[in-house]
Amino acid sequence: MTDPPDFIPISEPGTAGASGGVPYGRPVNEVNPGLVGLAPMPQVRTFPLSFTGTSAEFFRIWIVNVALSVVTLGLYTPWARVRTRQYFYGNTWVDGHNFEYTANPWALLRGYLLVAALFGTYNAAMQFQFQGWEWVVGIVVGLFVLLYPWLVRQSLRFLARSTVHRGLHFSFQGSLGQAYVTYGLANVAAGFVGLALPWAWFMQRRYQVEGVHYGQASGRFRGDVGPFFIFGLTGLGLTLGGVILLLGLGLLGFGLFSALDLGSLADWEDLSAASMTGIVAALATAYLVFLLVYLGAWQYVRAATMKYVLNNVELGGVVRLGATFSPWRLVWITLSNTAAQLLTLGLLTPWAAVRRMNYLAPHIQVRAIADLDDFTAEMGQQESALGEAATELLDINLGF
């Protein structure tokens, strides 16, 4: 597919080419004089995302969701998920139109019950180990491994079909065979050779983007595999650096411990309670620091990957996305949100979700050389919610 000639940016998004129809980049005839006289360059219009939700509004929805899910022993969970997504979709705007989430909670409930039954059977077999429990565990695990790529594809189809903008449904048309390559073979390769993991990420993001359709316009991923290796190696380097730092601090602490001649004590029982408390506190601190470093490294990989993918998404050859957020800033928001949620026993969960969205939305733009109203609908079928339920209950991370 040939790139539109106007996508030759000479300035950063959001400066030249702001919303309102101002040309973005130099005119074609200034780039190549030989093109003078051809059709005029299309104009690039930039539409930043905006989010209008508030913590107070979402807290009221969230607390009701939690209460009803507890009272109904989890049966309300599909409705809670739909209400949450409807709130965030409904408060996310592009070009004066908000998104809509149209999933049917009853369809989700059926999927939830089926997946929960399989998961419950597995847990019961592991817990009670009745006669033939090994066969039961083997069958459930085998089914999960065999169906995993299909479940991911079903989840993507259901999520896309439930997403609406300007009255037009998204759809996901990635093939089943490609799903088994990207979520089957790629994951197996990454399991045997860890360095293949970034390649698996690349394959999966490309599958997700190129399977998306908006009306009759199809998605295209313009990225390459190289940056995924850079993100992965950066995350690995941060984790190893944290381990080396902790080992160094441990050796320093051991040296100080020896210098105080506490090592000459007959046995550990001679240590005072204060000394034991200090050792336990030091070990706990070291573990907490390692956990923070590991989580920070992993969140960096996720944030950097998301930014790279967004900057390389194209739809129908006339729409591209742009992301300008800082991955490190997003890491800080994620870690501080997690700390706030832990310290308040989850009560700040709505605030954390809105805070993250308030940062992300203004740093994502849609750039188009065609009117967004020009996209036409393509008839689609209702999708099964089984895959969506599986990704929710089994915590399958789609990563985008």
Side-chain angles (χ1 to χ4, degrees):
M1 183 178 297
T2 303
D3 290 340
D6 65 306
F7 279 102
I8 308 174
I10 59 173
S11 57
E12 292 299 322
T15 53
S19 178
V22 181
Y24 178 69
R26 286 183 295 170
V28 173
N29 55 12
E30 293 184 13
V31 177
N32 185 348
L35 297 177
V36 174
L38 298 179
M41 179 190 69
Q43 291 185 337
V44 178
R45 302 183 67 192
T46 301
F47 307 98
L49 263 67
S50 63
F51 182 70
T52 55
T54 66
S55 301
E57 284 180 350
F58 183 51
F59 181 83
R60 290 192 287 272
I61 295 173
W62 176 81
I63 198 68
V64 171
N65 286 345
V66 171
L68 291 178
S69 295
V70 171
V71 169
T72 61
L73 302 178
L75 289 177
Y76 187 76
T77 301
W79 281 266
R81 184 171 183 80
V82 169
R83 290 186 69 204
T84 298
R85 284 195 171 177
Q86 283 178 339
Y87 180 77
F88 278 90
Y89 279 47
N91 283 285
T92 303
W93 299 77
V94 176
D95 190 26
H97 297 264
N98 63 329
F99 287 86
E100 300 173 63
Y101 185 67
T102 61
N104 181 356
W106 287 103
L108 274 174
L109 179 63
R110 290 192 291 272
Y112 273 56
L113 291 176
L114 182 56
V115 175
L118 286 174
F119 191 60
T121 302
Y122 171 85
N123 277 337
M126 292 292 290
Q127 182 70 27
F128 301 109
Q129 298 191 352
F130 45 77
Q131 185 176 8
W133 67 274
E134 301 94 338
W135 286 98
V136 174
V137 170
I139 291 173
V140 173
V141 172
L143 278 176
F144 175 71
V145 172
L146 185 64
L147 295 179
Y148 177 78
W150 177 79
L151 289 171
V152 171
R153 178 174 177 262
Q154 288 300 106
S155 178
L156 292 170
R157 289 168 66 97
F158 184 81
L159 181 62
R161 186 60 191 165
S162 303
T163 301
V164 179
H165 189 253
R166 292 172 178 263
L168 192 60
H169 285 266
F170 285 81
S171 65
F172 184 81
Q173 301 179 18
S175 71
L176 184 58
Q178 196 62 26
Y180 273 89
V181 172
T182 55
Y183 286 95
L185 292 179
N187 281 343
V188 170
F192 281 103
V193 183
L195 287 178
L197 188 57
W199 172 73
W201 295 339
F202 164 75
M203 294 288 288
Q204 291 161 7
R205 302 306 179 275
R206 189 175 68 175
Y207 176 71
Q208 292 171 10
V209 171
E210 297 193 347
V212 169
H213 284 63
Y214 181 57
Q216 294 181 344
S218 58
R220 176 192 171 211
F221 184 53
R222 302 166 50 247
D224 201 356
V225 68
F228 289 84
F229 278 94
I230 294 176
F231 303 147
L233 291 175
T234 302
L236 179 62
L238 289 171
T239 304
L240 291 178
V243 171
I244 292 172
L245 177 63
L246 286 177
L247 287 176
L249 291 175
L251 291 174
L252 179 62
F254 181 77
L256 294 174
F257 188 82
S258 300
L260 293 175
D261 204 25
L262 295 176
S264 62
L265 295 174
D267 52 46
W268 285 92
E269 293 179 356
D270 293 331
L271 288 176
S272 65
S275 298
M276 288 301 296
T277 303
I279 293 173
V280 172
L283 291 174
T285 302
Y287 177 74
L288 183 61
V289 171
F290 171 74
L291 199 60
L292 284 174
V293 170
Y294 176 76
L295 290 177
W298 176 240
Q299 290 302 324
Y300 167 77
V301 171
R302 293 194 64 180
T305 299
M306 181 168 69
K307 181 177 182 179
Y308 180 73
V309 171
L310 287 173
N311 278 321
N312 286 280
V313 170
E314 185 175 291
L315 189 62
V318 293
V319 172
R320 288 183 183 175
L321 301 185
T324 58
F325 59 83
S326 164
W328 289 112
R329 175 69 176 168
L330 197 55
V331 170
W332 161 247
I333 289 175
T334 302
L335 294 181
S336 55
N337 278 353
T338 302
Q341 290 173 265
L342 290 174
L343 292 174
T344 60
L345 302 178
L347 286 176
L348 281 184
T349 297
W351 169 83
V354 171
R355 179 192 180 209
R356 186 175 189 275
M357 196 63 190
N358 275 331
Y359 174 69
L360 276 177
H363 292 89
I364 298 175
Q365 304 89 33
V366 176
R367 290 174 287 159
I369 58 173
D371 196 320
L372 297 182
D373 285 327
D374 291 343
F375 288 89
T376 56
E378 185 174 64
M379 296 302 294
Q381 299 177 345
Q382 295 295 324
E383 302 296 342
S384 165
L386 179 59
E388 178 74 356
T391 58
E392 175 74 9
L393 290 183
L394 302 180
D395 196 25
I396 298 173
N397 183 13
L398 296 179
F400 183 42

